Amino acid sequence: MIRNKITILLATLLFVFSCMKKERSEPIENQTKFEIIEALNQGDSDRALSLALKGQRENPNDFEYYYFEAQAYSQKASVDVYSLFPLMKMEIFDVAVTEWKKQEEFEKRQKSRLQTNLLGESEEIDTSDLDEVNKKIQSTPAEDFPIELSELEQFHYTYVDENGLEVKEEQQFYCAYYLDISSPLFVYDEPMKEVVYIDKENVEDSCNSERNKEKVEAEVARIKERSKYTAKQNALSMVDRKRELVKERTYEQRYAKAFFALFDSIPILREAPTLTFENAENAILALRKLNIILNQSNIPDRLKNNTTHQMRLLSSYLIIGSYKNTTNLDGVSEVTDLICLIEPKQATSHYRYFLYGARFFMKSMRDSDLAKKNQENYIEYSQIINDAPEELTEEQIEDFEEDTQKFKNSRGC
Amino acid sequence: MKTSKKILKNLKTLGVVSLLTINTYSFDITHQLKPNGTFETTALSNSCSTMQDTSFSSLCNSALMPLSEQQAVSISVVGKSDGDSIDNGRDLIFDPISEELIRKLFEEKNFNSFTFNSNIIFKTSLFEINYTPYYLIADLYLFNPVFPEISLHAVNRETLRLTRGWTLIGDKEKFQTDWFLSMGTSAYYYKHSTANNVFSLFDLSFNPPESLISFENEYGAAGDLAFFFMTPYKFWPKFSLQFKNLGSKITRNKAANESAVQQSPYLLFEPYMTFGLGQEFSTFLGRLDFNLEMFHSYSDDSLFIENLTLGSRYTINLFSIYLGLSSYYQNFALRFDSETFKVGIGYAREEDMRRFQPTVENSVYTGVEISL
């Protein structure tokens, strides 16, 4: 009985052992990453950096080590939750999590601000009417183009003969009339001007005689037919002209809005961490590493999203920090002070940081909805920024300082 | 004879291999409150597989069922009711966040966990049915103050378990004076909802939290197999051997393979084994139980000594004092038992992240059981 029970027991144990599958365990690589994370948590950026570099040497295809390297440089640049805390406290943390509905307000404020106003349209300018008119003009054959003729307005050329005597109207050999040609498809109230001109057979004939009237009517009919083609071209160029005007106004509105948005953001800018040259250089090193990650095609979503957002954060830090150093923000009390209080020498000494901040910011916006909706503008601005010189020459610095002073004078600073 | 020699040789090999295996760690997370756990098992750090004839014996080791004559219907709940995690959670959610709190969270208390378990148990002398409507855990790991991220692991598990035990050798009436070997099995059905996500503070600021946390459901069945062995000799310890979660589809390595910052539950849902040694002593006032338990998960090789746990219980009439000690957990708990009502409170020092936990977490567990 006991032997049977032992046999059953052993058989059960053997069965159980055979059911147990030993799964492969995770290599030590994750431990290194964890140590890097803990070093960052403790604020030990040197250790985090050395472990990240070691990880890169041992695992060159694992871009998470580049990400960790960027974190270490960013920590050296003092861009972390502690330095940004006054900013975040103002905008996010000043209320309890239970009242985070205000997050939506913060999001709305952020999205309508500088980047939208500078890069794209915060409000959609409605050009659908223009598009409709354009379509209608294009689809109307020239020979059927609708035109409207005004009343003929007779005029006379006055001139003097060889004796210096004014030649009177009834002594002239022609009849001349002004004719305005307009169209319901013109977007501007600017009729085309034509002159109807007929020669009299006899100078004594009145322009109102039947014969001359017939001649005038025939000329008008001829002009009408000819004008249809010209009117269509005129209508199309009017549409183009109006589009340009709308665009110009949009830019003006946009820059005006951007300045007002910047003015509204002054309390936030004041709380932004101060930029030192050392911090700025570390921030650039971090951005370069993040750029390497963003240039890869097959990286995990988490890494890609974090890299994009952090690139925006660091580049904004460079721009805002540089702007803070070049402008006496405490003295800003109205919108024009944003320009009036710029110190040109400081601005030129921060040129490199403005440039890198702008470059990496545009890079981070590459895949955003905003850039996709305003692709033309995005490409244009990116090109301008990428083509900008790495350093300013002495001449360029002098020119900038002169131009800034002139601009200030023109604005009554 | 030949068979038993072979078995002994195999066991020796297993022991040596376990002692000499190399450490490899992913981001492991474990909890004292296990899916089938109660206040008592938690207070003992789950080192209780040789403590027979208690109300929690069959939950600790199903092979102890033949030695229990209790029959009851009971409802029990246990959970973390106070401590560092609770305080941090309260500060984060209900008060404006301060820089001091943020710094504390990153540098000292960047791991916060919450656990809760509930059981409805129908116990007879032949079998036991245990329904767990909610077994909840939520682990939050906050990291990287440069670009803050949160690693969240949350589980909501529901199980229905049937437990049965058999005496293989000996007689339960004479178990203390004769050789005794029993076997127990549990079969259970589970619905396992889990979320294991990593998101940044930036994501949290611009998206509703529910869009960042995605739960996956898994359904399945698994079982436990347990053995209990006792000799008639007073100074020989009692032995137990358990194989937990056999056939479970919940594994560890999937999460661990994906990222260093994703949490990997350990000694909770995946198959693992335990080996226990214990003894009990009757004293003038009451009864003293000791148990030494070793846990081993098959999904990685971990140091033998790190999973060694000592559990001790001293019972005086209606009061019991519990002690649980291991490398990562130290517990002290008190429980009051009446016929129908049991309540317990325990103080614990925990390191759920094991060697990666930056500072020890202080927790308070509370457990209530009502017998109908």
Side-chain angles (χ1 to χ4, degrees), chain B residues 63-137:
Chain B
L64 294 173
M65 254 205 82
L67 294 170
S68 172
E69 289 192 353
Q70 291 178 6
Q71 302 192 61
V73 175
S74 60
I75 299 169
S76 70
V77 292
V78 58
K80 201 179 278 194
S81 57
D82 204 348
D84 295 336
S85 293
I86 304 290
D87 288 344
N88 291 338
R90 200 165 35 225
D91 290 342
L92 267 173
I93 293 169
F94 296 110
D95 293 330
I97 298 168
S98 66
E99 188 177 339
E100 291 73 35
L101 176 65
I102 296 282
R103 202 171 277 276
K104 183 178 93 167
L105 287 175
F106 276 106
E107 292 176 3
E108 297 168 23
K109 304 289 180 189
N110 57 6
F111 179 75
N112 293 274
S113 72
F114 309 89
T115 50
F116 174 82
N117 199 12
S118 56
N119 287 295
I120 301 170
I121 304 170
F122 176 66
K123 199 185 298 194
T124 73
S125 56
L126 290 175
F127 62 86
E128 183 177 296
I129 296 174
N130 183 351
Y131 173 59
T132 303
Y134 296 105
Y135 170 73
L136 305 170
I137 54 177

Coordinates of all heavy atoms in Angstrom, one line a residue, chain B residues 63-137:
Chain B
A63 N -2.1 20.7 0.9 CA -1.9 19.4 1.5 C -2.2 19.3 2.9 O -2.2 18.3 3.5 CB -0.4 19.0 1.2
L64 N -2.4 20.5 3.6 CA -2.8 20.5 5.0 C -4.3 20.4 5.2 O -4.7 20.3 6.4 CB -2.3 21.9 5.6 CG -0.8 22.1 5.7 CD1 -0.5 23.5 6.2 CD2 -0.1 21.1 6.6
M65 N -5.0 20.3 4.1 CA -6.5 20.1 4.2 C -6.9 18.9 5.0 O -7.8 19.0 5.9 CB -7.1 20.1 2.9 CG -7.8 21.3 2.5 SD -9.1 21.1 1.3 CE -10.5 20.6 2.3
P66 N -6.3 17.7 4.8 CA -6.7 16.6 5.6 C -6.6 16.7 7.1 O -7.2 16.0 7.9 CB -5.8 15.4 5.1 CG -5.4 15.9 3.7 CD -5.3 17.4 3.8
L67 N -5.7 17.7 7.5 CA -5.5 17.8 8.9 C -6.4 18.9 9.5 O -6.3 19.2 10.7 CB -4.0 18.3 9.2 CG -3.0 17.2 8.8 CD1 -1.6 17.7 8.9 CD2 -3.1 16.0 9.8
S68 N -7.2 19.4 8.7 CA -8.1 20.5 9.2 C -9.5 20.0 9.2 O -10.0 19.4 8.3 CB -8.0 21.7 8.3 OG -9.0 22.6 8.7
E69 N -10.2 20.2 10.3 CA -11.6 19.8 10.4 C -12.6 21.0 10.4 O -13.8 20.8 10.6 CB -11.8 19.0 11.7 CG -11.1 17.6 11.6 CD -11.6 16.7 12.7 OE1 -12.3 17.2 13.6 OE2 -11.2 15.6 12.7
Q70 N -12.1 22.1 10.1 CA -12.9 23.3 10.2 C -13.9 23.3 9.0 O -13.5 23.0 7.9 CB -12.1 24.6 10.1 CG -11.2 24.8 11.4 CD -10.3 26.0 11.3 OE1 -10.4 26.7 10.3 NE2 -9.5 26.2 12.2
Q71 N -15.1 23.7 9.3 CA -16.1 23.9 8.3 C -16.7 25.2 8.5 O -17.2 25.5 9.6 CB -17.2 22.8 8.3 CG -16.6 21.4 8.3 CD -17.7 20.4 8.1 OE1 -18.4 20.4 7.1 NE2 -17.8 19.4 9.0
A72 N -16.7 26.0 7.5 CA -17.2 27.4 7.6 C -17.5 28.0 6.3 O -17.0 27.6 5.3 CB -16.2 28.2 8.4
V73 N -18.2 29.1 6.4 CA -18.4 30.0 5.2 C -17.8 31.3 5.7 O -18.3 31.8 6.8 CB -19.8 30.2 4.7 CG1 -19.9 31.2 3.6 CG2 -20.4 28.8 4.3
S74 N -16.9 31.9 5.1 CA -16.3 33.1 5.6 C -16.0 34.1 4.4 O -15.9 33.7 3.3 CB -15.0 32.8 6.3 OG -14.1 32.2 5.5
I75 N -16.0 35.4 4.8 CA -15.7 36.5 3.9 C -14.5 37.2 4.5 O -14.6 37.6 5.7 CB -16.9 37.4 3.8 CG1 -18.1 36.7 3.2 CG2 -16.5 38.6 2.9 CD1 -19.4 37.4 3.2
S76 N -13.5 37.4 3.7 CA -12.3 38.1 4.2 C -11.8 39.2 3.3 O -12.0 39.0 2.0 CB -11.2 37.2 4.6 OG -10.6 36.6 3.4
V77 N -11.3 40.2 3.8 CA -10.7 41.3 3.0 C -9.4 41.7 3.7 O -9.3 41.7 4.9 CB -11.6 42.5 2.8 CG1 -12.8 42.2 2.0 CG2 -12.0 43.2 4.1
V78 N -8.4 42.0 2.9 CA -7.1 42.5 3.4 C -6.5 43.4 2.4 O -6.7 43.3 1.2 CB -6.2 41.3 3.7 CG1 -5.9 40.4 2.4 CG2 -4.9 41.7 4.3
G79 N -5.9 44.4 2.9 CA -5.3 45.4 2.0 C -4.3 46.3 2.8 O -4.3 46.4 4.0
K80 N -3.6 47.1 2.0 CA -2.7 48.1 2.5 C -3.6 49.3 2.9 O -4.2 49.9 2.0 CB -1.7 48.5 1.5 CG -0.4 49.1 2.0 CD 0.6 49.4 0.9 CE 1.4 48.2 0.5 NZ 2.5 48.5 -0.4
S81 N -3.5 49.7 4.1 CA -4.5 50.7 4.6 C -3.7 52.0 4.9 O -4.3 53.1 5.0 CB -5.3 50.3 5.8 OG -4.4 49.9 6.8
D82 N -2.4 51.9 5.1 CA -1.7 53.1 5.5 C -0.2 52.9 5.2 O 0.2 51.8 4.8 CB -1.9 53.4 7.0 CG -1.6 54.9 7.3 OD1 -1.1 55.6 6.4 OD2 -1.9 55.3 8.4
G83 N 0.6 53.9 5.2 CA 2.0 53.8 5.0 C 2.4 54.8 4.0 O 1.7 55.7 3.6
D84 N 3.7 54.6 3.5 CA 4.3 55.6 2.6 C 3.5 55.8 1.3 O 3.3 56.9 0.8 CB 5.7 55.2 2.3 CG 6.6 55.2 3.5 OD1 6.3 56.0 4.5 OD2 7.6 54.5 3.6
S85 N 3.1 54.6 0.7 CA 2.4 54.7 -0.6 C 1.1 55.4 -0.5 O 0.7 56.2 -1.3 CB 2.2 53.3 -1.2 OG 3.4 52.7 -1.5
I86 N 0.4 55.1 0.6 CA -0.9 55.7 0.8 C -0.7 57.2 1.0 O -1.5 58.0 0.4 CB -1.6 55.1 2.0 CG1 -1.8 53.6 1.9 CG2 -3.0 55.7 2.2 CD1 -2.7 53.1 0.8
D87 N 0.3 57.6 1.8 CA 0.5 59.0 2.1 C 0.9 59.7 0.8 O 0.4 60.8 0.5 CB 1.7 59.2 3.1 CG 1.3 58.8 4.5 OD1 0.1 58.7 4.7 OD2 2.2 58.6 5.3
N88 N 1.7 59.1 0.0 CA 2.2 59.8 -1.3 C 1.0 59.9 -2.2 O 0.8 60.9 -2.9 CB 3.3 59.0 -1.9 CG 4.6 59.0 -1.2 OD1 4.8 59.9 -0.4 ND2 5.4 58.0 -1.3
G89 N 0.2 58.8 -2.3 CA -1.0 58.9 -3.1 C -1.9 60.0 -2.7 O -2.4 60.8 -3.6
R90 N -2.1 60.1 -1.4 CA -3.0 61.1 -0.9 C -2.5 62.5 -1.2 O -3.2 63.4 -1.7 CB -3.2 61.0 0.6 CG -4.4 61.6 1.2 CD -4.7 61.1 2.6 NE -3.6 60.8 3.4 CZ -3.4 59.7 4.1 NH1 -4.3 58.8 4.2 NH2 -2.3 59.5 4.9
D91 N -1.2 62.7 -1.0 CA -0.6 64.0 -1.3 C -0.7 64.4 -2.7 O -0.9 65.5 -3.1 CB 0.9 64.0 -0.9 CG 1.1 64.0 0.6 OD1 0.1 64.3 1.3 OD2 2.2 63.6 1.1
L92 N -0.4 63.4 -3.6 CA -0.4 63.6 -5.0 C -1.8 64.0 -5.6 O -2.0 64.9 -6.4 CB 0.0 62.4 -5.8 CG 1.5 62.3 -6.1 CD1 1.8 60.9 -6.7 CD2 2.0 63.4 -7.1
I93 N -2.8 63.3 -5.0 CA -4.1 63.4 -5.6 C -5.0 64.6 -5.1 O -5.6 65.3 -5.8 CB -4.9 62.1 -5.5 CG1 -4.2 61.0 -6.3 CG2 -6.4 62.3 -5.9 CD1 -4.7 59.6 -6.0
F94 N -4.9 64.8 -3.7 CA -5.8 65.7 -3.1 C -5.2 67.0 -2.7 O -5.9 67.9 -2.4 CB -6.4 65.0 -1.9 CG -7.2 63.8 -2.2 CD1 -6.8 62.6 -1.8 CD2 -8.5 64.0 -2.8 CE1 -7.6 61.4 -2.1 CE2 -9.2 62.9 -3.1 CZ -8.8 61.6 -2.8
D95 N -3.9 67.2 -2.8 CA -3.3 68.5 -2.5 C -2.5 69.0 -3.6 O -2.0 68.3 -4.5 CB -2.3 68.3 -1.3 CG -3.1 67.9 0.0 OD1 -4.2 68.3 0.1 OD2 -2.5 67.2 0.9
P96 N -2.3 70.4 -3.7 CA -1.4 70.9 -4.7 C 0.0 70.3 -4.5 O 0.5 70.2 -3.4 CB -1.4 72.4 -4.4 CG -2.7 72.7 -3.7 CD -3.0 71.4 -2.9
I97 N 0.6 70.0 -5.7 CA 1.9 69.4 -5.6 C 3.0 70.3 -5.3 O 3.1 71.4 -6.0 CB 2.1 68.6 -7.0 CG1 1.0 67.6 -7.1 CG2 3.5 68.0 -7.0 CD1 0.9 67.0 -8.5
S98 N 3.9 70.0 -4.4 CA 5.0 70.9 -4.1 C 6.3 70.3 -4.6 O 6.4 69.1 -4.9 CB 5.1 71.0 -2.6 OG 5.5 69.8 -2.0
E99 N 7.3 71.2 -4.7 CA 8.6 70.7 -5.2 C 9.2 69.7 -4.3 O 9.9 68.7 -4.7 CB 9.6 71.9 -5.4 CG 10.8 71.5 -6.1 CD 11.8 72.7 -6.3 OE1 11.3 73.9 -6.3 OE2 13.0 72.4 -6.5
E100 N 9.0 69.9 -2.9 CA 9.5 68.9 -2.0 C 9.0 67.5 -2.2 O 9.7 66.5 -2.1 CB 9.2 69.3 -0.5 CG 9.9 70.6 0.0 CD 9.3 71.9 -0.6 OE1 8.1 71.9 -0.9 OE2 10.1 72.8 -0.9
L101 N 7.7 67.5 -2.5 CA 7.0 66.2 -2.8 C 7.6 65.5 -4.0 O 7.9 64.3 -4.0 CB 5.5 66.3 -2.9 CG 4.8 65.1 -3.3 CD1 4.9 64.0 -2.2 CD2 3.3 65.4 -3.5
I102 N 7.8 66.3 -5.1 CA 8.4 65.8 -6.3 C 9.8 65.3 -6.1 O 10.1 64.2 -6.5 CB 8.4 66.9 -7.4 CG1 7.0 67.4 -7.7 CG2 9.2 66.5 -8.6 CD1 6.3 66.5 -8.7
R103 N 10.6 66.0 -5.3 CA 11.9 65.6 -5.0 C 11.9 64.3 -4.2 O 12.7 63.4 -4.5 CB 12.7 66.7 -4.3 CG 14.2 66.6 -4.4 CD 14.9 67.9 -3.9 NE 14.9 68.9 -4.8 CZ 15.8 69.1 -5.8 NH1 16.7 68.2 -6.0 NH2 15.7 70.1 -6.6
K104 N 11.0 64.2 -3.2 CA 10.9 63.0 -2.4 C 10.5 61.8 -3.3 O 11.1 60.7 -3.1 CB 9.9 63.3 -1.3 CG 9.8 62.1 -0.3 CD 8.8 62.4 0.8 CE 7.4 61.9 0.4 NZ 6.4 61.9 1.5
L105 N 9.6 62.1 -4.1 CA 9.1 61.0 -5.0 C 10.2 60.4 -5.9 O 10.3 59.2 -6.1 CB 7.9 61.4 -5.8 CG 6.6 61.6 -5.1 CD1 5.6 62.2 -6.0 CD2 6.1 60.3 -4.5
F106 N 11.0 61.3 -6.4 CA 12.1 60.8 -7.3 C 13.2 60.2 -6.6 O 13.8 59.2 -7.0 CB 12.6 61.9 -8.2 CG 11.7 62.2 -9.4 CD1 10.9 63.3 -9.5 CD2 11.7 61.3 -10.5 CE1 10.1 63.5 -10.6 CE2 10.9 61.4 -11.6 CZ 10.1 62.5 -11.7
E107 N 13.7 60.8 -5.5 CA 14.9 60.4 -4.9 C 14.7 59.3 -3.8 O 15.6 58.5 -3.6 CB 15.6 61.6 -4.3 CG 16.1 62.6 -5.3 CD 16.7 63.9 -4.7 OE1 16.8 64.0 -3.5 OE2 17.1 64.8 -5.5
E108 N 13.6 59.3 -3.2 CA 13.4 58.3 -2.1 C 12.2 57.4 -2.4 O 12.4 56.2 -2.2 CB 13.1 59.1 -0.8 CG 14.3 59.9 -0.3 CD 13.8 60.8 0.8 OE1 12.8 60.5 1.5 OE2 14.5 61.9 1.0
K109 N 11.1 57.9 -2.7 CA 9.9 57.1 -2.7 C 9.3 57.0 -4.1 O 8.2 57.3 -4.4 CB 8.8 57.7 -1.8 CG 9.3 58.0 -0.4 CD 9.4 56.7 0.4 CE 9.8 56.9 1.8 NZ 10.2 55.7 2.5
N110 N 10.2 56.6 -5.1 CA 9.7 56.6 -6.4 C 9.0 55.3 -6.8 O 8.5 55.2 -7.9 CB 10.9 56.8 -7.4 CG 12.0 55.8 -7.3 OD1 11.9 54.9 -6.5 ND2 13.1 56.1 -8.0
F111 N 8.9 54.4 -5.8 CA 8.0 53.3 -6.1 C 6.9 53.3 -5.1 O 7.1 53.3 -3.9 CB 8.8 52.0 -6.0 CG 8.0 50.7 -6.2 CD1 7.6 50.4 -7.5 CD2 7.6 50.0 -5.1 CE1 6.8 49.3 -7.7 CE2 6.8 48.9 -5.3 CZ 6.4 48.5 -6.6
N112 N 5.7 53.2 -5.5 CA 4.5 53.2 -4.7 C 3.6 52.1 -5.1 O 3.3 51.9 -6.3 CB 3.8 54.5 -4.7 CG 4.6 55.7 -4.2 OD1 4.6 55.9 -3.0 ND2 5.3 56.3 -5.0
S113 N 3.1 51.3 -4.1 CA 2.3 50.2 -4.5 C 1.0 50.1 -3.6 O 1.0 50.6 -2.4 CB 3.0 48.9 -4.4 OG 3.2 48.6 -3.0
F114 N 0.0 49.6 -4.1 CA -1.3 49.5 -3.4 C -1.8 48.0 -3.7 O -1.8 47.6 -4.8 CB -2.3 50.5 -3.9 CG -1.8 51.9 -3.9 CD1 -1.1 52.4 -5.1 CD2 -1.9 52.7 -2.8 CE1 -0.5 53.6 -5.1 CE2 -1.3 54.0 -2.8 CZ -0.7 54.4 -3.9
T115 N -2.2 47.4 -2.6 CA -2.7 46.0 -2.8 C -4.0 45.8 -2.0 O -4.2 46.4 -1.0 CB -1.7 45.0 -2.3 OG1 -1.3 45.3 -1.0 CG2 -0.5 44.9 -3.2
F116 N -4.8 44.9 -2.5 CA -6.1 44.6 -1.9 C -6.5 43.2 -2.3 O -6.4 42.8 -3.5 CB -7.2 45.6 -2.3 CG -8.5 45.3 -1.8 CD1 -8.9 45.6 -0.5 CD2 -9.5 44.6 -2.6 CE1 -10.2 45.2 0.0 CE2 -10.7 44.3 -2.1 CZ -11.1 44.6 -0.8
N117 N -7.1 42.4 -1.4 CA -7.6 41.1 -1.8 C -8.9 40.8 -1.0 O -9.1 41.3 0.1 CB -6.6 40.0 -1.4 CG -6.9 38.7 -2.2 OD1 -7.7 38.7 -3.2 ND2 -6.2 37.6 -1.9
S118 N -9.8 40.1 -1.6 CA -11.0 39.7 -1.0 C -11.3 38.2 -1.3 O -11.0 37.8 -2.4 CB -12.2 40.6 -1.5 OG -12.2 40.5 -3.0
N119 N -11.9 37.5 -0.3 CA -12.1 36.1 -0.5 C -13.5 35.7 0.1 O -13.9 36.2 1.1 CB -11.1 35.2 0.2 CG -9.8 35.3 -0.5 OD1 -9.6 34.8 -1.7 ND2 -8.8 35.8 0.1
I120 N -14.2 34.9 -0.6 CA -15.4 34.2 0.0 C -15.1 32.8 -0.1 O -14.9 32.2 -1.1 CB -16.7 34.6 -0.9 CG1 -16.9 36.1 -0.9 CG2 -17.9 33.9 -0.3 CD1 -17.9 36.5 -1.9
I121 N -15.0 32.2 1.2 CA -14.5 30.8 1.3 C -15.6 29.9 1.8 O -16.2 30.2 2.9 CB -13.3 30.7 2.2 CG1 -12.2 31.7 1.6 CG2 -12.8 29.3 2.2 CD1 -11.0 31.9 2.6
F122 N -15.9 28.8 1.1 CA -16.8 27.8 1.6 C -15.9 26.5 1.9 O -15.4 25.9 1.0 CB -17.8 27.5 0.5 CG -18.8 26.4 0.9 CD1 -19.7 26.5 1.9 CD2 -18.8 25.2 0.2 CE1 -20.5 25.5 2.3 CE2 -19.6 24.2 0.5 CZ -20.5 24.3 1.5
K123 N -15.9 26.2 3.2 CA -14.9 25.1 3.6 C -15.7 24.0 4.2 O -16.5 24.2 5.1 CB -14.0 25.8 4.6 CG -12.7 25.0 4.8 CD -11.9 25.6 6.0 CE -11.4 27.0 5.7 NZ -10.4 27.5 6.6
T124 N -15.3 22.8 3.7 CA -15.9 21.6 4.4 C -14.7 20.7 4.7 O -13.5 21.0 4.4 CB -16.8 20.8 3.4 OG1 -16.1 20.2 2.4 CG2 -17.9 21.7 2.8
S125 N -14.9 19.5 5.3 CA -13.8 18.6 5.6 C -13.2 17.9 4.4 O -12.1 17.4 4.4 CB -14.3 17.6 6.6 OG -15.4 16.9 6.1
L126 N -14.0 18.0 3.3 CA -13.6 17.3 2.1 C -13.0 18.2 1.0 O -12.0 17.8 0.3 CB -14.8 16.5 1.4 CG -15.3 15.3 2.2 CD1 -16.5 14.8 1.5 CD2 -14.2 14.2 2.3
F127 N -13.5 19.4 0.9 CA -13.0 20.3 -0.1 C -13.3 21.8 0.3 O -13.9 22.0 1.3 CB -13.7 20.0 -1.5 CG -15.2 20.2 -1.5 CD1 -15.7 21.5 -1.7 CD2 -16.0 19.2 -1.2 CE1 -17.1 21.7 -1.7 CE2 -17.4 19.4 -1.2 CZ -17.9 20.6 -1.4
E128 N -12.7 22.6 -0.5 CA -12.9 24.0 -0.2 C -13.1 24.8 -1.5 O -12.4 24.5 -2.5 CB -11.6 24.5 0.5 CG -11.6 26.0 0.9 CD -10.3 26.4 1.6 OE1 -10.0 25.8 2.7 OE2 -9.6 27.2 1.1
I129 N -14.0 25.7 -1.5 CA -14.3 26.5 -2.7 C -14.0 28.0 -2.3 O -14.5 28.5 -1.2 CB -15.7 26.4 -3.1 CG1 -16.0 25.0 -3.6 CG2 -16.0 27.4 -4.3 CD1 -17.4 24.7 -4.0
N130 N -13.1 28.6 -3.0 CA -12.7 29.9 -2.7 C -13.0 30.8 -3.9 O -12.4 30.6 -5.0 CB -11.2 29.9 -2.4 CG -10.6 31.2 -2.0 OD1 -11.3 32.3 -2.0 ND2 -9.4 31.2 -1.5
Y131 N -13.8 31.8 -3.7 CA -14.1 32.8 -4.8 C -13.4 34.1 -4.4 O -13.6 34.7 -3.3 CB -15.6 33.0 -5.0 CG -15.9 34.1 -6.0 CD1 -15.5 34.0 -7.3 CD2 -16.7 35.1 -5.6 CE1 -15.8 35.0 -8.2 CE2 -17.0 36.2 -6.5 CZ -16.6 36.1 -7.8 OH -16.9 37.1 -8.7
T132 N -12.6 34.6 -5.3 CA -11.9 35.9 -5.1 C -12.5 36.9 -6.1 O -12.1 36.9 -7.3 CB -10.4 35.8 -5.3 OG1 -9.9 34.8 -4.4 CG2 -9.7 37.1 -5.1
P133 N -13.4 37.7 -5.7 CA -14.0 38.7 -6.7 C -12.9 39.8 -7.1 O -12.9 40.2 -8.3 CB -15.2 39.3 -6.0 CG -14.9 39.1 -4.5 CD -14.0 37.9 -4.4
Y134 N -12.1 40.2 -6.2 CA -11.1 41.2 -6.5 C -9.8 40.9 -5.9 O -9.7 40.8 -4.6 CB -11.6 42.6 -6.0 CG -12.9 43.1 -6.7 CD1 -14.1 43.1 -6.0 CD2 -12.8 43.5 -8.0 CE1 -15.2 43.5 -6.6 CE2 -14.0 44.0 -8.6 CZ -15.2 44.0 -7.9 OH -16.3 44.4 -8.5
Y135 N -8.8 40.8 -6.7 CA -7.4 40.8 -6.2 C -6.8 42.0 -7.0 O -6.7 41.9 -8.2 CB -6.7 39.5 -6.5 CG -5.2 39.6 -6.2 CD1 -4.7 39.7 -4.9 CD2 -4.3 39.6 -7.2 CE1 -3.4 39.8 -4.6 CE2 -2.9 39.7 -7.0 CZ -2.5 39.8 -5.7 OH -1.1 39.9 -5.5
L136 N -6.5 43.1 -6.3 CA -6.0 44.3 -7.0 C -4.6 44.7 -6.6 O -4.3 44.6 -5.4 CB -7.0 45.4 -6.6 CG -8.5 45.3 -6.8 CD1 -9.2 46.4 -6.2 CD2 -8.8 45.2 -8.3
I137 N -3.8 45.0 -7.5 CA -2.5 45.6 -7.2 C -2.3 46.7 -8.2 O -2.7 46.7 -9.4 CB -1.4 44.6 -7.3 CG1 -1.3 43.8 -8.6 CG2 -1.4 43.6 -6.2 CD1 -0.1 42.9 -8.7

